[in-house]
Amino acid sequence: MNIARRVYFRLGKQVVKWGVGYLWTPTDLVNIEKKNILDSSQVRQGTYGLKVHVPFGTRANIYSFINMNTARHLSDISMANKVEVLFLNTEMALSVLLKKKNVPVYGFDFTSRVFTLDIHGEASLSYGDNVRRLRNYPWYVIGVFPSMPVEWLYLFPRKSDLMDYRVRGRWIPKASLGFGRGFEVLDVKDRIRFDVEAFYNHAGYDRNVFEKDFFTSSYFLSGGLYTPNYYGKWYAGLFITIRQMFVEELSAMINGVVNIQDQSSIVSGMITYAPFYDLSLTLMVNGFVGKTNREYTVYGNYFTSELSVKLVF
């Protein structure tokens, strides 16, 4: 819907373009799913809400998103606002996310070009964190049940902050920075493209949670506390895309992601054949490098392969 083609509205379940990062998008607190390079058939779930767009030609844009996902009452609704401006060949934006019982999250992002390099970056800042964090465990109940670890409590429903908590009272910055370049090959623009991205996550863990006891690591993975590629403090990634490889319907991707802090990494390769717009066949191969019980080696796999067929309708 629109009002005199000056204000545009989109209502319903939608994936919103919020943030400019290739893999790491610290300002994107609107979408409920992050990009997953290990899921070759990922179709990201949309968020229920109302998007409002007010354009000012090519000079500026104002965006608002009223997030109604899982909202049972009006007080559960959150709002994200963004002001975007174009200065020469650089596009910059300031944003803020507001929600009751959550701390405000402020964001900044930009995209630009320097000579032949495309550059992008984004950063978020909040006084406290809205993501729950695992407490330091294990520890033991003494004098009640001798030698019984408190991790047994993980098996029972909880309605307290016994196992995890939210950081309060300190600034939490997060930032990603990347650059890339596409190459024209045989008259096809951007046939081969290279992208490099780095990410700093102040909310990441200093310790290795996956080296703890079985109950601690299981609770961390299954309790909604773990987000892939946002666990540590420092990350880097290399992403190579090849379009129209040999034939127009064949494409390939090579990805490498490193958790610099715990020295584990993923190397993946993917070939996709899409004979029709809504049908694709994909072969994906993943390798996991690093010591055991690190972020990318916690599941014990050194090598996985996946063959999938995706039909979108």
Side-chain angles (χ1 to χ4, degrees):
M1 301 176 290
N2 69 84
I3 300 176
R5 297 195 176 185
R6 293 181 179 273
V7 183
Y8 294 83
F9 303 91
R10 181 183 175 92
L11 177 65
K13 191 176 184 182
Q14 51 193 302
V15 177
V16 183
K17 176 62 177 175
W18 208 275
V20 297
Y22 188 94
L23 177 60
W24 292 284
T25 52
T27 66
D28 183 7
L29 302 175
V30 173
N31 294 298
I32 60 177
E33 282 185 300
K34 298 290 188 182
K35 184 177 180 181
N36 185 0
I37 63 171
L38 290 182
D39 187 351
S40 62
S41 58
Q42 183 184 30
V43 178
R44 296 171 69 185
Q45 292 294 313
T47 303
Y48 291 101
L50 173 65
K51 179 184 176 182
V52 183
H53 176 206
V54 183
F56 297 90
T58 59
R59 297 167 299 162
N61 292 279
I62 296 176
Y63 298 98
S64 288
F65 187 78
I66 301 173
N67 191 332
M68 305 175 187
N69 215 57
T70 68
R72 297 184 178 181
H73 308 282
L74 286 177
S75 59
D76 298 330
I77 293 175
S78 64
M79 174 176 283
N81 301 295
K82 177 186 287 190
V83 178
E84 183 181 81
V85 297
L86 179 65
F87 179 74
L88 298 178
N89 68 335
T90 300
E91 194 171 68
M92 299 175 288
L94 292 173
S95 60
V96 61
L97 176 73
L98 304 171
K99 185 177 182 180
K100 186 179 179 180
K101 298 183 180 179
N102 280 16
V103 296
V105 181
Y106 307 96
F108 169 77
D109 65 67
F110 77 94
T111 57
S112 186
R113 169 166 281 199
V114 178
F115 300 112
T116 58
L117 285 180
D118 299 315
I119 301 176
H120 66 268
E122 59 181 275
S124 67
L125 184 66
S126 59
Y127 192 62
D129 199 2
N130 296 317
V131 178
R132 301 195 70 82
R133 184 180 180 88
L134 185 72
R135 292 189 182 277
N136 283 316
Y137 285 104
W139 50 273
Y140 296 84
V141 178
I142 300 175
V144 181
F145 301 103
S147 74
M148 175 184 172
V150 79
E151 294 91 82
W152 283 101
L153 297 175
Y154 297 166
L155 301 177
F156 300 94
R158 64 171 179 82
K159 292 188 180 295
S160 68
D161 296 335
L162 181 64
M163 309 304 166
D164 51 68
Y165 68 104
R166 288 185 180 182
V167 175
R168 291 290 186 263
R170 58 188 175 96
W171 291 103
I172 305 294
K174 302 175 185 179
S176 65
L177 178 66
F179 60 88
R181 182 184 177 186
F183 295 88
E184 181 177 318
V185 179
L186 298 177
D187 298 324
V188 178
K189 187 178 180 181
D190 288 342
R191 194 168 204 168
I192 300 177
R193 181 173 179 86
F194 294 84
D195 285 282
V196 176
E197 193 168 76
F199 176 52
Y200 171 68
N201 177 25
H202 189 76
Y205 288 85
D206 292 313
R207 66 189 191 279
N208 184 9
V209 175
F210 300 115
E211 278 189 333
K212 299 294 184 179
D213 61 284
F214 171 77
F215 291 105
T216 302
S217 57
S218 296
Y219 178 81
F220 179 68
L221 290 170
S222 63
L225 304 181
Y226 172 63
T227 302
N229 311 312
Y230 289 81
Y231 158 75
K233 286 186 177 293
W234 294 95
Y235 289 89
L238 170 64
F239 314 96
I240 304 173
T241 306
I242 306 173
R243 300 192 302 115
Q244 300 183 28
M245 189 173 63
F246 307 122
V247 295
E248 185 176 352
E249 298 82 8
L250 193 64
S251 62
M253 292 185 65
I254 301 173
N255 301 317
V257 177
V258 180
N259 181 328
I260 298 173
Q261 188 169 336
D262 76 359
Q263 299 180 1
S264 66
S265 58
I266 300 172
V267 179
S268 66
M270 182 170 63
I271 296 178
T272 300
Y273 178 65
F276 306 105
Y277 174 76
D278 52 1
L279 173 67
S280 61
L281 295 83
T282 301
L283 172 63
M284 188 173 190
V285 178
N286 304 303
F288 305 89
V289 183
K291 296 181 180 180
T292 58
N293 293 324
R294 299 296 192 267
E295 179 177 12
Y296 298 128
T297 61
V298 65
Y299 294 108
N301 295 319
Y302 293 101
F303 175 87
T304 63
S305 61
E306 174 187 304
L307 180 63
S308 62
V309 179
K310 180 170 73 174
L311 178 63
V312 180
F313 56 90

